[in-house]
Amino acid sequence: MPVPPPAGPRRRPPLSDVAVSLTGALFLLAGVAGLLPGPAAAALAVAGGFALACVRLAWLAGGALPAPSLPTPNAPPTVDPRTAESAAWSAEIGQPEHRDAAAPGVTTGRQARRVALSRRVAAILDAAVLVAGLTVAVLPLSDPAHRLPIALTGLCLTTPLYVTALLRLPVRSRMSGPELVRRGVDVLALGVSLVFAGWMLLPGGPVPAVAGVAASGGAAVLAVLVVAALAERRRRPGAARCHAGAALTLGGLTLLVVLLAYDAPERALPVAAAPLLAGALLTVAGLRRAWAGERPDRDLAPAAWPRLTAPAGIAALAAGVHLCAVGEFSTGAMALGLAIIPPIMVGELLAAADQRRRVQRLAAREAWLRRRLGPDARAAEPAPLTRADLVRAMAQRSGGALLVVDLHGEGAAVPEGPVLTEVARRLRAGVEAHDLVARLGDTEYAVLTDLGPVPAYALGTRLLASLTEPYPRPCGAARVRVSVGLAETSGGEPEDVLRQADLARRRAVQLGRDRIEWYDAYLEEQLVRRLDLERELPGAVARGELDLVYQPVVALAERVPVGTEALLRWRSPTLGTVLPAELLPVAADLDLIGEIGRWVVDRACRQLAAWSDGGRELWMAVNVTPRELAAPDFVARTATALAAYDVSPERLVVEVAEPGVGAELSTVVARLAGLRSIGVRTALDDFRAEHASLAQLRRLPIDLLKVAPHLVGPGGDGQRPLIDVVANLADRLGVELVVEELESEGQVAGARRAGCRYGQGFVLARPATAERVEAWFEEFPSAAR
């Protein structure tokens, strides 16, 4: 079945946002380093971002772009006319077209009210951002004695503006009673931890009243905004960003008030500029997302967030810093720290109870669907759950694993209906009662389980064994190949987990099917890399992207070159240099081995001819795969290439790797014999020296045998080196030994002691371009063969 590509990259922020952020960071660093006065650095750091945010919010408030509208029943499609200026601004900020916006004069009363509400929200947020920006901007122009009242006034004005706007955001999601209680408990736990952290981090000694009030009030407001942003990030991403932007802005102003209340050094003031700048830009991004008409799914659970680890982690970190700086805790501090525990425990109990309710509702729904479909529904169709149902179920579970199962018929056939019915029955029979099974496509299923990753892998193995058993049919048993991908559901959002499991399934397909693959980040990198290779490799020969480098083969006794090995390189403009180990498997899957092999032989013969004109009579070895060697015209094509460049056949060596010979032994023997009949020499590469290899060696018509240096080392238990056995057999067969991958002088000496005549490796000469190899040859003017 066709497979969609992996999810594309996330949308990049506008270049203007990047520019003002970088500029602000430079001014911030200049202020902290003392290169600029602290208030001036803070004002300059936020100036560009706040100006940009105010302009964008003013456009929204002024109605340059219409607010989103709710669809009305039976309403005809309308066109949204735009002015040139609005379109240009929309393109600059990435504003999407509003297809459901009504044309002027056609809006309903409800739509008109939504337009007015959205513009009022934009105007209030514009005022909040403007006040925050002006608060910082006037600091360098004011007397130091007046800076604290200015900052406090800005905080007191900005806070109600933000609160008013956030309460009026379009499409608010109504929370149930239990959800309101849990949200309140989460806010209490985070708020207490933030108050405790503020107490611990404030300097010792008397606390200024303004700093204490600002820090306590700021912690409470910050807790509300952070919890709202984290809980709503999946249902209302635009609103979540607005809440996060408000938290950053108000947090930055609170930090500014505290710094001024403690009469901190001026170079510390720019530190407050970072959250202020980020908050302004995030507020605009959130409103733009909410403006686009996000409609939260009422059935979708709030996003999970670390309600246990976040408050406890903040408190523990602050306590650790305080302990290092002060060395003891006051009675009030200990009491406040202990006060964090009860709301955390209550929150966990409420979350567990809510989870049980969701599971019970889902189980009840599945049972109702089965009753509705009749007694045979369980056996006939395990998927009355759809992809949407699966996503909701994943959102309501805090742990477990997801298995994606894909079926492949024999050859290119797609499994038939009766086979799919039996697949469904086997799937249902193989999972536990509390596991959920969904159908994702014609031949693709998913299993959601509460099991941990290791038991889930065992479950996938059992399902794999069951589904690959023959399927009885009147015309004979059918067989199905199965690929299974596994991902942990705790790894992210439901759609991300589905994508991860599907990537693992696709990796199982690449590795031959009838297997299960477990998702991890490295697997995704491999798969994306493989897809890039498959996309770019076709046409590489025609585009002139292939290249050969050459590694000399040296006579070990004289240390002079006698030949070279041609090594393939793909110089991709997109992917960089790709080596044969990565290139050839992809070429084999794309059926490009023949095309690439013809190019390699042709280029090698051309280079041999060029070196012959320079008086160098060296051999050239080229690597071929057993599949390429099995082509009926391989010998004839090789002879044609030699004749085209007037190269003596004995100067070309065709190498085939020993591990791939076994399955095509008779064909390989015939082709190697054909090559030797026209004068081309042959070699067996990567010889393993196992018992089967030694027996196989007698049948292969080869001239050179290439072995790894580990065969040259001493034998185990005082026995003679294995190379002696290989050398003895090679001598009787009239085969020369070449030790490859030599990387030290010790290995070279060992190869010589074993009687090996030739060697190659980094210690002798590295692979290089033809020009560099020719320059290296000049060091051996008498070497010619």
Side-chain angles (χ1 to χ4, degrees):
M1 61 182 294
V3 180
R10 293 185 178 181
R11 187 174 182 175
R12 296 178 179 176
L15 291 178
S16 53
D17 288 8
V18 177
V20 297
S21 299
L22 291 176
T23 304
L26 291 176
F27 282 121
L28 190 153
L29 293 174
V32 173
L35 302 177
L36 287 175
L44 291 172
V46 303
F50 273 86
L52 186 63
C54 287
V55 169
R56 290 176 176 174
L57 290 170
W59 273 91
L60 292 172
L65 295 177
S69 59
L70 291 173
T72 55
N74 304 321
T78 59
V79 178
D80 180 18
R82 308 287 176 104
T83 63
E85 294 81 4
S86 298
W89 184 88
S90 175
E92 193 273 331
I93 65 170
Q95 175 72 24
E97 292 288 332
H98 298 290
R99 291 170 293 184
D100 58 348
V106 191
T107 57
T108 66
R110 185 177 183 182
Q111 289 173 326
R113 288 193 297 273
R114 279 183 50 77
V115 168
L117 174 61
S118 298
R119 291 175 180 168
R120 282 199 298 272
V121 169
I124 296 172
L125 285 177
D126 191 22
V129 171
L130 180 62
V131 170
L134 289 175
T135 299
V136 182
V138 299
L139 289 182
L141 306 178
S142 59
D143 186 83
H146 298 153
R147 289 173 183 169
L148 177 57
I150 291 173
L152 190 59
T153 302
L155 177 62
C156 293
L157 292 176
T158 305
T159 301
L161 289 172
Y162 258 119
V163 171
T164 302
L166 294 177
L167 290 176
R168 292 172 174 266
L169 281 176
V171 197
R172 295 194 301 274
S173 57
R174 295 184 177 87
M175 292 184 289
S176 62
E179 190 174 350
L180 278 171
V181 173
R182 190 173 65 251
R183 180 75 62 86
V185 172
D186 291 343
V187 168
L188 180 61
L190 185 60
V192 174
S193 69
L194 289 174
V195 171
F196 176 76
W199 192 344
M200 293 295 98
L201 297 178
L202 288 177
V207 177
V210 173
V213 173
S216 301
V221 174
L222 193 63
V224 174
L225 294 174
V226 169
V227 170
L230 292 173
E232 295 292 335
R233 69 182 187 274
R234 183 168 62 233
R235 294 195 298 193
R236 302 167 64 207
R241 293 179 187 178
C242 285
H243 282 85
L248 288 169
T249 303
L250 297 178
L253 288 175
T254 301
L255 177 59
L256 186 63
V257 169
V258 172
L259 291 174
L260 292 171
Y262 272 95
D263 201 17
E266 285 194 347
R267 68 169 56 187
L269 297 183
V271 175
L276 286 168
L277 177 59
L281 296 177
L282 196 57
T283 298
V284 178
L287 185 63
R288 189 173 64 213
R289 178 71 179 265
W291 190 286
E294 60 182 6
R295 299 180 178 92
D297 187 346
R298 308 291 185 189
D299 296 329
L300 195 61
W305 72 284
R307 57 171 47 89
L308 172 64
T309 56
I314 291 172
L317 181 62
V321 173
H322 179 83
L323 189 62
C324 293
V326 179
E328 60 180 2
F329 295 101
S330 66
T331 303
M334 288 190 288
L336 186 58
L338 293 174
I340 301 173
I341 299 176
I344 289 178
M345 295 180 61
V346 172
E348 288 298 305
L349 292 174
L350 291 174
D354 194 50
Q355 176 72 11
R356 284 196 299 271
R357 285 194 296 270
R358 289 198 189 101
V359 171
Q360 290 169 357
R361 286 198 302 268
L362 192 60
R365 180 181 181 184
E366 186 176 7
W368 177 82
L369 287 172
R370 289 175 182 163
R371 285 196 303 271
R372 184 178 180 184
L373 293 175
D376 297 331
R378 178 183 175 95
E381 182 54 82
L385 292 181
T386 64
R387 181 188 179 96
D389 294 326
L390 179 68
V391 170
R392 290 193 182 97
M394 292 168 63
Q396 294 163 357
R397 295 192 180 190
S398 57
L402 178 69
L403 296 163
V404 172
V405 182
D406 197 13
L407 311 175
H408 318 273
E410 297 176 294
V414 177
E416 302 171 344
V419 172
L420 293 178
T421 301
E422 177 62 14
V423 165
R425 189 196 67 77
R426 293 183 188 183
L427 271 175
R428 253 297 166 211
V431 301
E432 299 294 335
H434 59 275
D435 294 335
L436 300 179
V437 181
R439 190 167 187 175
L440 304 180
D442 291 339
T443 60
E444 193 172 2
Y445 296 84
V447 176
L448 180 63
T449 177
D450 289 330
L451 298 173
V454 175
Y457 188 90
L459 171 63
T461 303
R462 294 195 299 272
L463 293 176
L464 187 66
S466 172
L467 296 176
T468 51
E469 288 290 323
Y471 293 80
R473 293 185 305 178
C475 57
R479 292 187 178 273
V480 171
R481 305 196 69 184
V482 182
S483 303
V484 182
L486 168 65
E488 299 179 54
T489 56
S490 58
E493 299 294 328
E495 289 295 343
D496 292 336
V497 176
L498 267 169
R499 182 184 63 84
Q500 292 170 357
D502 191 59
L503 287 176
R505 176 199 62 79
R506 295 167 70 181
R507 184 62 175 168
V509 173
Q510 286 184 349
L511 296 178
R513 300 175 180 171
D514 290 343
R515 61 188 295 139
I516 178 172
E517 285 295 314
W518 192 336
Y519 171 84
D520 58 28
Y522 178 64
L523 179 146
E524 182 166 2
E525 292 176 5
Q526 286 180 307
L527 182 61
V528 172
R529 173 72 171 178
R530 174 67 180 246
L531 293 174
D532 290 340
L533 292 169
E534 291 177 351
R535 182 186 66 247
E536 298 293 333
L537 184 56
V541 174
R543 295 191 299 268
E545 295 175 3
L546 297 188
D547 188 20
L548 289 181
V549 295
Y550 306 91
Q551 184 172 32
V553 180
V554 175
L556 296 179
E558 300 85 3
R559 284 294 187 102
V560 295
V562 294
T564 61
E565 179 181 1
L567 302 173
L568 178 62
R569 300 290 185 267
W570 174 22
R571 315 290 189 187
S572 169
T574 304
L575 305 174
T577 299
V578 183
L579 301 180
E582 191 178 22
L583 185 159
L584 294 179
V586 178
D589 287 348
L590 298 179
D591 199 23
L592 297 174
I593 285 289
E595 178 186 3
I596 294 174
R598 286 191 291 272
W599 180 89
V600 170
V601 172
D602 182 84
R603 180 59 60 90
C605 290
R606 188 172 77 177
Q607 187 59 57
L608 274 174
W611 283 339
S612 297
D613 293 341
R616 293 281 178 186
E617 296 294 328
L618 306 167
W619 83 62
M620 173 86 73
V622 294
N623 295 276
V624 300
T625 64
R627 179 176 176 181
E628 181 185 357
L629 195 61
D633 63 340
F634 181 81
V635 176
R637 284 193 283 105
T638 303
T640 301
L642 290 168
Y645 294 102
D646 194 22
V647 173
S648 300
E650 67 274 6
R651 295 183 56 205
L652 181 66
V653 178
V654 174
E655 292 185 9
V656 61
E658 190 261 336
V661 168
E664 303 282 347
L665 181 59
S666 59
T667 304
V668 169
V669 168
R671 294 294 181 271
L672 293 180
L675 290 169
R676 294 182 84 188
S677 69
I678 63 172
V680 173
R681 291 195 288 173
T682 58
L684 187 64
D685 191 14
D686 197 17
F687 185 67
R688 295 175 295 180
E690 299 170 352
H691 179 74
S693 302
L694 292 170
Q696 186 172 263
L697 183 60
R698 299 177 183 274
R699 295 187 55 187
L700 292 169
I702 59 173
D703 301 287
L704 297 170
L705 183 63
K706 305 187 75 170
V707 299
H710 74 274
L711 297 181
V712 178
D717 299 329
Q719 298 178 357
R720 62 175 180 163
L722 186 57
I723 192 64
D724 290 350
V725 179
V726 177
N728 184 43
L729 180 59
D731 185 59
R732 284 189 286 160
L733 296 175
V735 175
E736 294 284 358
L737 286 179
V738 180
V739 183
E740 53 186 347
E741 301 177 10
L742 293 171
E743 296 183 356
S744 69
E745 289 295 340
Q747 290 178 337
V748 173
R752 288 190 61 186
R753 284 194 303 268
C756 299
R757 187 173 179 183
Y758 304 119
Q760 68 181 108
F762 285 0
V763 71
L764 299 173
R766 291 178 173 268
T769 60
E771 294 77 13
R772 293 197 174 189
V773 171
E774 289 173 5
W776 185 76
F777 284 160
E778 295 301 323
E779 300 177 15
F780 309 92
S782 62
R785 177 165 179 165

